[in-house]
C-alpha cells in the first residue's frame, strides 16, 4: 500500500519531547502518511510542536478527557482507509507499518499489533492471551522465561517471529481499517485510563474481530512518560482496579474473580522465581500488594 493511505493518530498530554521524536520519525520514514494529534489540555508545547508541521492535523480537546476519548476523536477525523493508533512516546524505526496497513486492507477485519521494542532492543510484552484462557492460567504458574522456544509462544506470544492470533494487544501501537475502528469506538469512553486496550480486545473478539500480532512490522516504545509524571511511578493499584472492572463487565463476575486470583498467583510465582534466581523482585511485590488493596477497595 502507499503511505498516503495510512494515518497515525496519537493523543498527547504534556508530551512535547516525545511528540517531537514521533513526528520526526514519521517525516523520516512515512512522509506521505497523515498524522492526527489530539491534545488533552497540555500545559507544555505539545500543541506548538504539532502545529509546527503543516501536514499534521491538530485537535485540541481543551482538557484531559482521557486516552480513549482522545483516540476516538482522532479516528473520527481520519480520511484514510487505515489508521494506526500510536502513543506519543512511540517512534518509527522504518516504514514497516505499511505492511500492517496492507494486511489490514487485504485480510478480514482484524486489529493488528506490531512488534514493540524497547530502547535497548528487547521485545516488550505487548500482546497477551485472553483473560481466563488456558494459556493465561498456565502463565500464572509458569513464568514465560522458564519456557523457551516454540513451546513458550502460547504464554509469551510477543516472542513469535510469525503472525499469531492473540487475546488482546497493548494500545501503544495498534492498526486496523479505519471503518473497523470507528465501528468499535474504538475505545470505551467510560474508561479514563488503564485497561481500555484490554476492553477493546475483548469487545472486538465478541464482535468477531480478532487481534493478531504482526512482528514483521516494528516500532520503538519508550514507555510510561505520562503515567510516571502524573503518579510518580507505576500506578499498580489503579491498573488492578481497572483490569478487574473490564473483565467483570465483559466476561462476568465469576471471570473477574478468577482473573483476580490468577493475577495474584502470577505475581507470587514471579516473586518466588526471581528469589530463587537472585533477581530483584520488588516490582512484583508492589504489584501483588496493589492487587490486594484494589480488591479490598472493591468490597
Amino acid at each position: 500500500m502507499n503511505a498516503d493511505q495510512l494515518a497515525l493518530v496519537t493523543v498527547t498530554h504534556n508530551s512535547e519531547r516525545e511528540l517531537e521524536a514521533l513526528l520526526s520519525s514519521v517525516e523520516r520514514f512515512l512522509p506521505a502518511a497523515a498524522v492526527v494529534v489530539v491534545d488533552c489540555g497540555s500545559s507544555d508545547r505539545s500543541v506548538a510542536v504539532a502545529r509546527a508541521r503543516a501536514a499534521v492535523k491538530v485537535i485540541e480537546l481543551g482538557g484531559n478527557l482521557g486516552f480513549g476519548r482522545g483516540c476516538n476523536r482522532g479516528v473520527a477525523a481520519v480520511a484514510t482507509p487505515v489508521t494506526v493508533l500510536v502513543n506519543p512516546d512511540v517512534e518509527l524505526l522504518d516504514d514497516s507499518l505499511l505492511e500492517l496497513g496492507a494486511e489490514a486492507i487485504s485480510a478480514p477485519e482484524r486489529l493488528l499489533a506490531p512488534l514493540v521494542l524497547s530502547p535497548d532492543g528487547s521485545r516488550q510484552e505487548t500482546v497477551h492471551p485472553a483473560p481466563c484462557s488456558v494459556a493465561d492460567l498456565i502463565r500464572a504458574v509458569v513464568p514465560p522465561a522458564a519456557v523457551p522456544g516454540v513451546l513458550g509462544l502460547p504464554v509469551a506470544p510477543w516472542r513469535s517471529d510469525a503472525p499469531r492470533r492473540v487475546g488482546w494487544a497493548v494500545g501503544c501501537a495498534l492498526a486496523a481499517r479505519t471503518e473497523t475502528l470507528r465501528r468499535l469506538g474504538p475505545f470505551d469512553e467510560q474508561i479514563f485510563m488503564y485497561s481500555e486496550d484490554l476492553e477493546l480486545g475483548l469487545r472486538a473478539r465478541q464482535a468477531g474481530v480478532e487481534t493478531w500480532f504482526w512482528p514483521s512490522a516494528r516500532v520503538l516504545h519508550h514507555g510510561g512518560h505520562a503515567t510516571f509524571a502524573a503518579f510518580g511511578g507505576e500506578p499498580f493499584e489503579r491498573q488492578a482496579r481497572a483490569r478487574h472492572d473490564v473483565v467483570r463487565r465483559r466476561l462476568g463476575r465469576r471471570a473477574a474473580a478468577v482473573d483476580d486470583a490468577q493475577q495474584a498467583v502470577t505475581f507470587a510465582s514471579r516473586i518466588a522465581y526471581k528469589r530463587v534466581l537472585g533477581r530483584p523482585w520488588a516490582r512484583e511485590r508492589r504489584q501483588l500488594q496493589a492487587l490486594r488493596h484494589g480488591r479490598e477497595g472493591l468490597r
Side-chain angles (χ1 to χ4, degrees):
M1 70 175 295
N2 297 323
D4 59 5
Q5 296 177 285
L6 187 76
L8 285 81
V9 171
T10 192
V11 177
T12 55
H13 179 68
N14 296 332
S15 311
E16 174 186 343
R17 288 192 302 174
E18 294 79 11
L19 181 62
E20 182 74 56
L22 169 62
L23 296 180
S24 295
S25 72
V26 174
E27 287 182 345
R28 188 178 309 119
F29 297 113
L30 292 175
V35 179
V36 179
V37 174
V38 183
D39 186 72
C40 287
S42 292
S43 58
D44 66 357
R45 296 184 63 258
S46 294
V47 171
V49 167
R51 291 197 183 281
R53 289 167 167 81
V56 175
K57 181 179 180 62
V58 181
I59 300 172
E60 294 185 69
L61 298 184
N64 191 359
L65 303 185
F67 173 77
R69 288 186 179 184
C71 285
N72 291 358
R73 301 302 186 275
V75 172
V78 168
T80 57
V82 175
T83 297
V84 185
L85 303 173
V86 291
N87 279 8
D89 56 357
V90 162
E91 292 181 49
L92 306 192
L93 296 170
D94 48 36
D95 65 355
S96 59
L97 287 183
L98 291 178
E99 185 171 340
L100 279 189
E103 185 65 23
I105 291 175
S106 63
E109 281 190 308
R110 287 186 290 190
L111 302 178
L112 299 170
L115 170 64
V116 179
L117 300 174
S118 296
D120 64 2
S122 61
R123 295 187 175 205
Q124 294 187 10
E125 300 179 15
T126 53
V127 288
H128 301 276
C132 302
S133 64
V134 172
D136 210 36
L137 294 172
I138 291 174
R139 74 192 292 253
V141 180
V142 183
V147 190
V150 176
L151 291 177
L153 294 183
V155 297
W158 63 87
R159 298 200 311 229
S160 178
D161 290 322
R164 186 180 186 88
R165 185 174 62 181
V166 296
W168 65 282
V170 174
C172 65
L174 200 60
R177 296 178 194 170
T178 303
E179 62 185 28
T180 300
L181 291 175
R182 284 179 181 153
R183 179 165 60 83
L184 291 172
F187 291 110
D188 182 346
E189 296 192 1
Q190 296 180 63
I191 303 174
F192 179 78
M193 186 180 290
Y194 303 122
S195 290
E196 55 272 281
D197 39 18
L198 170 60
E199 194 277 338
L200 172 60
L202 294 177
R203 181 161 41 85
R205 185 178 63 173
Q206 291 169 348
V209 179
E210 297 177 345
T211 301
W212 279 68
F213 178 48
W214 214 263
S216 56
R218 60 185 195 139
V219 297
L220 175 69
H221 182 219
H222 294 280
H225 84 282
T227 55
F228 273 71
F231 302 110
E234 295 179 271
F236 293 129
E237 190 168 326
R238 288 173 178 260
Q239 293 169 350
R241 289 185 179 181
R243 179 177 175 115
H244 173 91
D245 182 59
V246 163
V247 175
R248 178 183 57 79
R249 287 198 292 120
R250 286 292 153 199
L251 301 179
R253 292 184 179 276
R254 182 175 180 180
V258 171
D259 188 65
D260 284 346
Q262 178 248 308
Q263 291 289 300
V265 172
T266 298
F267 300 140
S269 67
R270 299 302 184 272
I271 290 171
Y273 180 74
K274 288 189 172 184
R275 292 184 71 173
V276 168
L277 296 178
R279 296 177 181 174
W281 48 274
R283 183 173 186 269
E284 287 76 12
R285 180 179 60 187
R286 292 196 301 272
Q287 288 174 308
L288 183 58
Q289 291 171 341
L291 178 65
R292 289 170 176 166
H293 291 158
R295 292 177 64 182
E296 290 172 359
L298 291 169
R299 292 175 184 171

